[in-house]
Amino acid sequence: MSKKGLELLAPAGKWESLETVIEQGADAVYLGGKRFNMRLLRPDFNFSDEQLMDAVSFAHDRGVKVYVTVNNLYFQSEINELADYLAFLEEAGCDGIIVQDLAVPLLLQRLGLKLPLHASVQMGVANAEAARFLDEQGFSRGILSKNLSLDEIRDIHQRTSLELEFFVHGDVCISHTGQCYMSSFFFGESANRGRCRKPCRWKYRFLPSPDRWEGVHYFLAHKDLCLVGYLDRLIEAGVRSFKIEGRMRDPEYAGFLVRCYRRALDALEAGETEVVSEAEKELYSRRIREFTTGSLFSRTGADCIGYSGEREPFFPTSSIEVTPLGRDDYPQFKAPTPGSVPSLSVKVGGLEAFFGVIGRGVDTVIIGGDGFKNSKDNWDEASLLRAIQAGNDKGVSVVLETPRIVTQKDLDGVITLLSIPEMKGLSAVMVHDLGSLRIARELGLAVWAGYGLNLTNGTSVKFLASQGVQRVTASLELKLADLKNMVEKSCLEIELMVQGPLCGMITDYCPIQAVWAEGDDDGCKTACNRAEYCLEDEYQQRFRILNDDRCRTHIFFPLDLCLFGYLPLIKDMGINSIRIEGHYYRLDTLLEVVDIYRDGLRDLAQGRWEGEKGYRRLLRLFAHGLTTNPLVHRLAGLEAD
């Protein structure tokens, strides 16, 4: 390892790769077992338990550390086996584990294990408060979001003692990591469980489009990251581990990457800057995709995208035609036993919708954390305070949602908002990231966990309960059997989203700007409001595009979620609350949807269920189509993992 305590961290998907990257100068390697890690699509990769033990011995004999990826999300049915695997990893002597699921730190505590914890990039560690939270929970390292700028990295380093790791080379997803669900919505195959079908690498049409952009293009295909020329600036910003992506690379190419970065880091220590330039040229000569510096110096823009696809590696995936729900898809359930039913939550995007729903038997109104540029009904401080007061007057719970994505540059805005004295009148703050959780908790506010925290098992719920969280939202990626198992083991109230548009990706890149503004800042300011934009796949399925008030792009699955027909089953499962994501709906549509669900819950409470009439009303309301994916996935054999 460098005298400055710097670490070059290399991937190893096979034994030959392990030997090669160590020979070429890696200070540490990261690898996965045959279970519980993010690279499961290729069975010929990853290490058996015996191989993993041998790998640790081989690396340690050469002074190299080994970090094992335990970076999936886990279902309740996997928790016992996961606990055994963690005990095995400690016995094997690995130097740390890379984790995404919040169940893992609680399991380590229960088992008395001392494995060093590294927060995976999948956890979305994008602000200093999240880093401080992880530090307080015993994590030794955070792998920072790839969407951070150099200034944001520096700011995080100055505000936390958590060791920082950052990706410097390789594949980059267009979506904020951990917040891409499109593969789940299409195939029931979760990117958060290492089974992504890469919808970001498909060809699309952009609608409407100028003549220059007619036809299909790779509108979401991010170029590869290459930061070898900026290692000195990352060092100055506080990064200590430099990670090369690529556990599925062939050994020779992985070794080549390590050799180039080893030379560059050693040259920086020796003050030989010309060697760094030579390494950069060598990497470029063997590039796979074109290179980009990502978000390091500017927001992800058109220069980061390989629109032509000419250098896009082959991946055996493409879009499929998704069949919307029809009249014959209504599920038949017997009338339930009279009794308690889930409460009803509705998310709204502004004051008009708020006052529209509070008189319709809604128990909780959630104030949406992301305002959208083409919406006429967004929140400001005055309307927010008015809603809190009105909710208290009428006995309706009011919950403020923080934004889905909070990077370091967004952090002060969240702190300022939650610090307003009137926020004490909220029933809770719903958070999607660990930084917002820490802020709300430190301010003495009640905290609910949103679906952005990707909760898939009761053990992760227990971890959040230990941090003061009072209610959690189930992951959008759970199937029926997995949801049922999670509810049975949960110690907190669980809310389930049952109706609304399905946001499949959130990205800092704006395809609207790329197509219509093309670098014109003035044009960019108005482009969002000129039309309703979408991407269209080969089956003419349209993915709606909305830009929020922080210029992040939200890309939606072609069909809206609708679980109305499954309300009897949801009641019997013990779900405590169901949620309508209403902040994307016109007011008249929202009010009709609320009435349908409220009437359905009332019937269930009385032991009646004749929901087909409400189901057909919903089919008529949403002519573009409804789906039960992924909870009740339409693809055979994917009902549960």
Side-chain angles (χ1 to χ4, degrees):
M1 185 177 287
S2 163
K3 296 176 184 177
K4 295 181 179 179
L6 306 178
E7 177 183 88
L8 180 58
L9 179 54
K14 295 183 176 182
W15 187 271
E16 187 180 354
S17 297
L18 176 76
E19 291 181 332
T20 302
V21 297
I22 290 176
E23 180 183 340
Q24 296 301 323
D27 298 306
V29 297
Y30 64 102
L31 51 84
K34 294 292 186 181
R35 303 168 288 164
F36 303 122
N37 87 89
M38 285 287 292
R39 293 292 179 267
L40 296 176
L41 285 176
R42 294 277 301 275
D44 52 324
F45 280 79
N46 301 313
F47 290 69
S48 68
D49 288 357
E50 183 179 355
Q51 290 173 328
L52 197 151
M53 293 187 74
D54 291 342
V56 173
S57 297
F58 179 85
H60 285 180
D61 287 346
R62 290 154 181 79
V64 173
K65 292 183 176 181
V66 176
Y67 308 131
V68 178
T69 56
V70 192
N71 55 344
N72 269 5
L73 295 175
Y74 303 109
F75 298 137
Q76 191 63 49
S77 59
E78 299 171 306
I79 292 297
N80 289 339
E81 187 181 355
L82 175 61
D84 292 340
Y85 186 62
L86 294 173
F88 160 73
L89 292 179
E90 179 153 302
E91 181 184 353
C94 67
D95 300 284
I97 55 174
I98 302 169
V99 304
Q100 173 185 192
D101 198 307
L102 292 171
V104 176
L106 187 58
L107 288 173
L108 293 184
Q109 180 183 346
R110 287 180 180 174
L111 297 168
L113 302 178
K114 305 300 182 184
L115 286 165
L117 283 165
H118 296 187
S120 170
V121 70
Q122 291 288 130
M123 292 185 80
V125 185
N127 60 68
E129 290 296 314
R132 292 175 69 185
F133 178 91
L134 292 166
D135 193 13
E136 292 163 355
Q137 302 308 314
F139 282 74
S140 59
R141 178 182 293 185
I143 306 169
L144 294 177
S145 165
K146 298 178 187 179
N147 297 92
L148 293 173
S149 69
L150 192 66
D151 289 340
E152 288 178 299
I153 295 170
R154 183 183 299 107
D155 202 10
I156 292 171
H157 170 63
Q158 292 171 351
R159 299 188 188 199
T160 179
S161 59
L162 192 70
E163 186 177 58
L164 302 183
E165 178 178 309
F166 195 70
F167 277 92
V168 293
H169 196 97
D171 198 352
V172 183
C173 298
I174 194 67
S175 178
H176 277 263
T177 309
Q179 301 301 312
C180 182
Y181 306 123
M182 204 69 83
S183 181
S184 284
F185 298 158
F186 263 104
F187 304 101
E189 299 276 24
S190 169
N192 289 313
R193 286 176 56 83
R195 305 188 69 84
C196 185
R197 299 291 189 90
K198 297 187 181 294
C200 58
R201 303 289 173 183
W202 298 345
K203 294 181 288 187
Y204 297 96
R205 296 180 186 275
F206 187 94
L207 300 176
S209 62
D211 293 342
R212 177 173 176 266
W213 287 102
E214 283 292 330
V216 296
H217 305 274
Y218 290 80
F219 280 105
L220 303 177
H222 206 298
K223 297 176 183 177
D224 281 353
L225 191 66
C226 180
L227 299 180
V228 71
Y230 306 97
L231 297 177
D232 55 341
R233 301 182 71 169
L234 287 168
I235 293 168
E236 182 273 331
V239 175
R240 288 297 171 264
S241 179
F242 302 90
K243 189 171 194 172
I244 297 171
E245 179 273 337
R247 280 191 286 138
M248 297 177 76
R249 307 271 190 203
D250 71 75
E252 189 278 331
Y253 191 72
F256 162 71
L257 296 176
V258 171
R259 182 170 68 251
C260 290
Y261 276 87
R262 178 79 277 160
R263 286 171 53 204
L265 279 172
D266 291 346
L268 286 174
E269 196 166 33
E272 301 171 352
T273 55
E274 68 280 359
V275 176
V276 178
S277 297
E278 292 170 6
E280 192 169 21
K281 291 176 183 177
E282 193 172 353
L283 287 165
Y284 185 79
S285 70
R286 293 191 60 184
R287 69 196 184 281
I288 297 173
R289 299 183 181 96
E290 296 294 349
F291 285 155
T292 175
T293 56
S295 302
L296 205 62
F297 302 106
S298 62
R299 196 180 188 95
T300 306
D303 59 335
C304 295
I305 309 300
Y307 295 101
S308 70
E310 59 188 312
R311 300 191 71 94
E312 193 63 33
F314 172 75
F315 188 83
T317 179
S318 61
S319 185
I320 60 172
E321 189 169 12
V322 183
T323 305
L325 295 176
R327 293 167 67 96
D328 295 338
D329 294 310
Y330 176 72
Q332 299 293 334
F333 291 103
K334 295 180 180 179
T337 303
S340 62
V341 296
S343 62
L344 179 60
S345 297
V346 180
K347 187 191 293 187
V348 297
L351 204 56
E352 183 181 11
F354 177 89
F355 282 110
V357 303
I358 60 174
R360 298 181 110 84
V362 171
D363 302 290
T364 300
V365 182
I366 301 169
I367 295 173
D370 291 305
F372 291 93
K373 291 189 173 182
N374 60 352
S375 174
K376 298 178 181 178
D377 193 23
N378 280 321
W379 294 100
D380 56 25
E381 183 177 329
S383 60
L384 175 58
L385 299 185
R386 187 178 168 193
I388 294 172
Q389 184 61 55
N392 290 333
D393 291 344
K394 293 183 178 294
V396 175
S397 297
V398 178
V399 175
L400 174 63
E401 180 188 48
T402 58
R404 283 284 302 280
I405 305 297
V406 180
T407 67
Q408 186 62 19
K409 64 176 177 291
D410 306 314
L411 195 60
D412 287 344
V414 173
I415 295 172
T416 298
L417 177 62
L418 296 185
S419 299
I420 297 171
E422 288 82 358
M423 294 301 108
K424 298 289 186 181
L426 290 165
S427 298
V429 174
M430 179 181 291
V431 302
H432 294 278
D433 74 292
L434 296 176
S436 297
L437 188 161
R438 188 179 189 278
I439 294 166
R441 187 185 63 186
E442 294 300 303
L443 290 170
L445 301 170
V447 182
W448 291 1
Y451 52 72
L453 284 170
N454 294 326
L455 301 172
T456 57
N457 60 75
T459 308
S460 59
V461 174
K462 289 177 183 177
F463 174 84
L464 287 179
S466 73
Q467 304 305 311
V469 173
Q470 298 177 4
R471 177 185 282 190
V472 303
T473 310
S475 164
L476 294 178
E477 300 187 286
L478 287 170
K479 303 182 185 75
L480 273 172
D482 304 313
L483 176 63
K484 183 175 184 294
N485 291 338
M486 175 183 172
V487 173
E488 289 174 352
K489 295 295 184 179
S490 179
C491 62
L492 295 178
E493 293 186 347
I494 290 185
E495 184 164 278
L496 178 69
M497 177 180 163
V498 294
Q499 180 75 40
L502 289 164
C503 181
M505 300 180 190
I506 302 178
T507 174
D508 290 346
Y509 156 71
C510 179
I512 299 173
Q513 181 188 34
V515 170
W516 282 102
E518 299 188 75
D520 178 359
D521 289 340
D522 290 334
C524 181
K525 291 175 183 177
T526 60
C528 298
N529 299 317
R530 291 179 195 161
E532 292 189 1
Y533 300 98
C534 67
L535 296 172
E536 184 182 78
D537 69 9
E538 60 187 287
Y539 297 101
Q540 289 77 55
Q541 297 172 134
R542 295 189 172 186
F543 302 72
R544 188 182 182 191
I545 296 171
L546 291 178
N547 281 4
D548 67 27
D549 51 13
R550 288 164 301 132
C551 292
R552 290 198 172 98
T553 300
H554 300 235
I555 303 174
F556 293 84
F557 187 63
L559 308 177
D560 279 21
L561 179 68
C562 177
L563 299 179
F564 178 78
Y566 289 85
L567 286 185
L569 186 61
I570 290 168
K571 170 189 179 295
D572 289 345
M573 272 189 191
I575 295 291
N576 304 97
S577 176
I578 60 170
R579 184 193 314 168
I580 298 168
E581 296 275 291
H583 61 318
Y584 303 105
Y585 289 157
R586 289 195 335 245
L587 181 59
D588 57 340
T589 301
L590 173 60
L591 297 182
E592 187 167 356
V593 171
V594 169
D595 289 345
I596 292 169
Y597 275 87
R598 183 76 276 172
D599 291 346
L601 290 173
R602 186 178 297 115
D603 286 348
L604 288 175
Q606 297 172 0
R608 300 195 310 268
W609 181 244
E610 297 176 355
E612 190 163 5
K613 181 178 178 182
Y615 175 78
R616 291 183 178 181
R617 285 174 65 191
L618 288 166
L619 291 182
R620 289 193 297 270
L621 269 178
F622 298 97
H624 64 277
L626 297 170
T627 184
T628 58
N629 294 359
L631 187 78
V632 187
H633 207 283
R634 301 291 293 274
L635 294 183
L638 293 177
E639 287 79 11
D641 283 355

